[in-house]
Amino acid sequence: MVEKIIILDFGSQVTQLIGRRLRELNVYCEIYPFNKIPVLDESVKGVILSGSPCSVRDANAPQVDLSLFRGRLPLLGICYGAQYMAHTGGGKVEASNTREYGRAMLKVVADSPLLKGVSKETQVWMSHGDSISALPAGAQVIASTADVTNAAFQFAGEPTFAVQFHPEVYHTAEGSRMLANFALDICGCAGNWTPDSFIETTVASLRKQIGDERVILGLSGGVDSTVAGVLLNKAIGSQLTCIFVNNGLLRKNEFEDVLTSYHDMGLNVIGADASKEFLAALAGVTEPEAKRKIIGRLFVETFDKYAKQIENARWLAQGTIYPDVIESAGIEGIASKIKSHHNVGGLPKEMNLKIVEPLRMLFKDEVRRVGRALGIKEELVGRHPFPGPSLAIRIIGDITEEKLRILREADDIFIRGLRSYDCTGMGFPSASDPRIMATNLYDAIWQAGVILLPVKSVGVMGDERTYENPVALRAVVSTDAMTADWFPFPYDFLRDVSNEIIRKVRGVNRVVYDITSKPPGTIEWE
């Protein structure tokens, strides 16, 4: 039985970061809505209460029965979780005169196992409008800031701790140390949950779950479905059949190149070329959501058509990962659903297949770590996310073969340029593993692509006047795509890639770079 820490989510937008930080310590954890507490069996080593956009003073504030685990298991309250413990324990939580948001200097004022090895003064990140003005009985303050006396406290005689700041965010300088103290020392977790151990236990679990039945997997070329395919292939071999649909909207040579890579890995893959059907259905369609619906419907129909040709298939495998599960669940009335992910449901009920999701408890960076442990080539493991509707949402307006040609050529130049630019020593961390430094720009970026704009501009090439399309380059850094910053390219890279696109791609006479972060923008334009 895998030991774990349970994180109860009160609606904070950074709850996932708590899980990510614990996983980086090789400690397995699971996130649940505060009102859906799982069975607390012997595998559970501790509980963490997350932050929340709510105030504990609100009449409809989220509540949980702390007696279910307080005193039985180590407990850590973060921000709202800390205020909730104080409020329900007889302390006092009041609205602050000024909302404390951003960096603050924390001063340790008492010894505590939670703060072992933490500097006497250290930077933390605050984000709250309420403040704990009086601690409950039995609680002792262990750290303060200039504005918050009770910034961290613990209860005498029990492993119960609370912090009003966010140790999970990168801006809290020693937050990982605090979480390590809680998970490894206070909870006693072994810290042995590694990619190799995940592979070993998952392969055994898949064999038991699937038995001798056949499985169908839809491959996309992305890291999630690729790792799911290789993991399943390791578990059940020839019982797995993969389907890779060509929707006519893929990048230059992508269908052929990805199929070759999959065959080289020993996967049984069917290449389903439905490009003509997709492009015909999209002709004249300009509205983004209409494009998505057409593409989604045709993908399902195409996948269903080929899946029916596989005899005795009983299982449908999907590359669902943990953020998909968390975001699709949401917390009604508190945190709105960020998205309804295409992997969580969405295929016809009449297919009558059971679902298997071997990666559903992994974050994206963990999927990549498992992929590397499985021996998958780095060019696939480190591949940027690519939107499900493919290039359809990077062409603003209607889709034509000519526009696809222009976009594919410009995109190919941009992506090849990223891969070939040596950025060793420039201080860019790898987007897929921040613990190492990137040696080329592609590896330093979370997601990149080109957008074809629906306007034309005047230009001059040689002695001739041109009137052609501009393209926009887009490149962002992120950890989970919920927020993203534009990438600070070296000027010589922008100069060279712009010149090459304009010289080589007929139909383009201007290149711009999108320097909008998310929020307020989104990563894709549609």
Side-chain angles (χ1 to χ4, degrees):
M1 185 177 293
V2 178
E3 62 182 19
K4 57 178 172 281
I5 289 177
I6 298 298
I7 301 166
L8 296 184
D9 183 13
F10 288 92
S12 169
Q13 292 296 312
V14 292
T15 297
Q16 287 190 35
L17 287 180
I18 305 172
R20 289 172 61 85
R21 296 292 87 80
L22 292 177
R23 298 283 186 90
E24 287 170 3
L25 299 167
N26 293 332
V27 173
Y28 182 67
C29 60
E30 294 178 357
I31 299 172
Y32 292 89
F34 71 94
N35 53 359
K36 296 179 181 177
I37 300 174
V39 175
L40 301 176
D41 58 26
E42 64 269 22
S43 69
V44 179
K45 300 299 182 183
V47 176
I48 295 178
L49 309 179
S50 83
S52 174
C54 302
S55 166
V56 296
R57 298 176 297 106
D58 293 342
N60 60 347
Q63 300 181 39
V64 65
D65 183 359
L66 295 180
S67 67
L68 293 172
F69 34 79
R70 184 174 165 185
R72 295 177 49 207
L73 292 165
L75 177 64
L76 172 62
I78 294 175
C79 198
Y80 178 92
Q83 294 166 1
Y84 186 77
M85 283 199 287
H87 180 68
T88 57
K92 193 171 184 179
V93 178
E94 298 179 304
S96 300
N97 293 328
T98 57
R99 181 179 178 187
E100 188 167 34
Y101 180 83
R103 293 174 177 84
M105 289 305 296
L106 185 78
K107 184 176 182 180
V108 177
V109 297
D111 290 338
S112 169
L114 183 69
L115 302 179
K116 185 183 71 174
V118 173
S119 304
K120 291 298 182 184
E121 291 194 15
T122 185
Q123 177 183 285
V124 296
W125 185 264
M126 294 284 191
S127 179
H128 58 88
D130 290 347
S131 193
I132 301 169
S133 57
L135 294 179
Q140 172 196 9
V141 62
I142 57 175
S144 306
T145 70
D147 297 317
V148 180
T149 301
N150 301 311
F153 57 94
Q154 65 185 20
F155 286 84
E158 60 178 281
T160 301
F161 306 84
V163 295
Q164 285 209 73
F165 53 88
H166 287 272
E168 69 272 26
V169 303
Y170 287 112
H171 304 296
T172 296
E174 297 178 79
S176 290
R177 162 60 64 186
M178 300 174 199
L179 290 173
N181 287 340
F182 180 73
L184 301 177
D185 296 343
I186 297 167
C187 296
C189 293
N192 58 2
W193 193 73
T194 64
D196 287 333
S197 68
F198 171 82
I199 292 168
E200 181 181 351
T201 57
T202 302
V203 165
S205 175
L206 289 170
R207 287 172 178 163
K208 182 178 180 180
Q209 180 182 13
I210 295 166
D212 59 359
E213 296 178 329
R214 296 193 63 81
V215 179
I216 305 170
L217 169 66
L219 290 171
S220 67
V223 62
D224 299 337
S225 66
T226 299
V227 173
V230 174
L231 193 58
L232 280 160
N233 190 56
K234 184 178 180 66
I236 61 172
S238 60
Q239 293 169 236
L240 173 68
T241 301
C242 305
I243 300 173
F244 181 34
V245 176
N246 180 10
N247 58 15
L249 305 163
L250 302 177
R251 285 171 151 157
K252 185 176 180 180
N253 301 325
E254 185 172 24
F255 184 58
E256 298 78 10
D257 291 347
V258 172
L259 269 181
T260 299
S261 295
Y262 284 147
H263 286 136
D264 290 345
M265 288 188 287
L267 295 180
N268 177 26
V269 185
I270 297 172
D273 190 352
S275 52
K276 291 181 179 178
E277 291 88 340
F278 277 83
L279 295 182
L282 288 166
V285 179
T286 59
E287 205 275 319
E289 192 60 25
K291 292 181 188 177
R292 291 176 182 272
K293 288 181 178 178
I294 290 169
I295 293 167
R297 173 179 58 80
L298 282 176
F299 174 83
V300 169
E301 291 176 1
T302 305
F303 187 89
D304 190 32
K305 172 185 172 182
Y306 282 85
K308 286 177 177 175
Q309 300 172 17
I310 302 168
E311 294 184 5
N312 302 317
R314 297 290 181 267
W315 293 86
L316 174 68
Q318 298 192 120
T320 309
I321 62 174
Y322 203 27
D324 305 333
V325 177
I326 298 167
E327 291 166 5
S328 295
I331 301 177
E332 197 65 36
I334 296 177
S336 61
K337 290 184 182 181
I338 298 165
K339 61 180 177 179
S340 292
H341 194 273
H342 65 277
N343 279 341
V344 184
L347 287 173
K349 292 181 180 179
E350 57 268 24
M351 288 184 72
N352 198 31
L353 297 174
K354 297 174 285 187
I355 302 295
V356 57
E357 298 168 317
L359 308 178
R360 69 177 283 111
M361 300 309 292
L362 296 185
F363 291 101
K364 175 73 79 173
D365 53 338
E366 294 171 327
V367 174
R368 289 193 167 106
R369 290 171 62 196
V370 168
R372 293 184 179 106
L374 286 167
I376 300 174
K377 291 187 293 186
E378 188 61 32
E379 64 189 67
L380 287 173
V381 175
R383 204 161 186 240
H384 290 174
F386 189 58
S390 309
L391 298 181
I393 58 170
R394 292 183 179 175
I395 295 175
I396 311 302
D398 66 324
I399 298 164
T400 66
E401 290 278 13
E402 175 62 8
K403 290 179 180 178
L404 282 167
R405 177 197 65 80
I406 292 172
L407 184 55
R408 284 193 180 107
E409 293 297 331
D411 179 83
D412 184 60
I413 290 170
F414 184 38
I415 298 302
R416 283 192 293 104
L418 294 176
R419 291 189 182 278
S420 63
Y421 191 99
D422 185 356
C423 66
T424 304
M426 291 186 177
F428 295 129
S430 168
S432 64
D433 190 346
R435 295 169 296 184
I436 61 175
M437 303 308 292
T439 57
N440 64 75
L441 290 179
Y442 185 91
D443 289 344
I445 291 168
W446 168 269
Q447 188 169 339
V450 178
I451 297 92
L452 180 62
L453 304 182
V455 296
K456 291 191 175 183
S457 65
V458 174
V460 177
M461 291 187 182
D463 295 324
E464 296 183 357
R465 176 183 180 275
T466 62
Y467 190 56
E468 295 177 332
N469 291 93
V471 294
L473 309 181
R474 184 70 163 141
V476 299
V477 288
S478 179
T479 56
D480 50 22
M482 294 173 67
T483 61
D485 289 324
W486 57 277
F487 186 80
F489 278 121
Y491 289 129
D492 61 330
F493 172 81
L494 289 174
R495 177 197 64 208
D496 293 346
V497 79
S498 172
N499 288 342
E500 187 174 357
I501 288 173
I502 291 171
R503 284 190 296 107
K504 293 184 177 180
V505 182
R506 179 172 43 85
V508 175
N509 68 351
R510 193 178 297 270
V511 176
V512 299
Y513 183 41
D514 180 356
I515 58 169
T516 310
S517 296
K518 177 186 178 182
T522 55
I523 295 177
E524 299 292 344
W525 279 40
E526 287 194 344

